[in-house]
Amino acid sequence: MAERLADADVDTALEALEAWSREGDALVKDVRITRDSYGWLSEAVMNEANALDHHPEIERTGDGIRFRLTTHSAGGVTAKDVELAARIDRVLSGAARDRG
């Protein structure tokens, strides 16, 4: 089972992640996107998530998309959440190759 990160470790991870924040026991990022981007972006993120066997909550918002990462079995943020956040950032920057 994945081990929950200490608060200090989560804070350190957040320093390296662009525009991610902590919301309760989760990492959260809101991104403004065009309406037609939601489908391909969700699919690209899920391809990364499947490669890690770890799944984010993805929510459509009024003008974008929200990613929420937590490991329920550990009761908070784990190294897998941090790794997935970094992979989501690579997808958003266009640096990730499509795994689909």
Side-chain angles (χ1 to χ4, degrees):
M1 177 170 84
E3 192 171 312
R4 179 182 176 157
L5 295 176
D7 287 343
D9 293 330
V10 174
D11 292 341
T12 299
L14 284 170
E15 290 175 14
L17 296 169
E18 187 176 333
W20 286 86
S21 61
R22 187 172 191 170
E23 191 174 275
D25 289 331
L27 300 179
V28 176
K29 183 169 187 165
D30 291 300
V31 181
R32 291 180 67 129
I33 60 171
T34 60
R35 286 183 89 92
D36 61 339
S37 298
Y38 181 83
W40 71 261
L41 182 55
S42 296
E43 184 176 340
V45 167
M46 288 309 296
N47 288 338
E48 292 298 321
N50 288 334
L52 278 177
D53 193 27
H54 194 59
H55 298 95
E57 294 175 25
I58 301 175
E59 177 185 348
R60 185 186 297 254
T61 61
D63 61 353
I65 190 168
R66 170 176 268 216
F67 301 103
R68 185 173 188 279
L69 310 177
T70 189
T71 303
H72 297 288
S73 61
V77 177
T78 65
K80 267 193 172 181
D81 297 304
V82 173
E83 173 63 20
L84 184 53
R87 288 184 183 213
I88 290 171
D89 283 347
R90 285 195 294 275
V91 167
L92 291 169
S93 72
R97 68 178 178 80
D98 186 6
R99 295 181 187 274

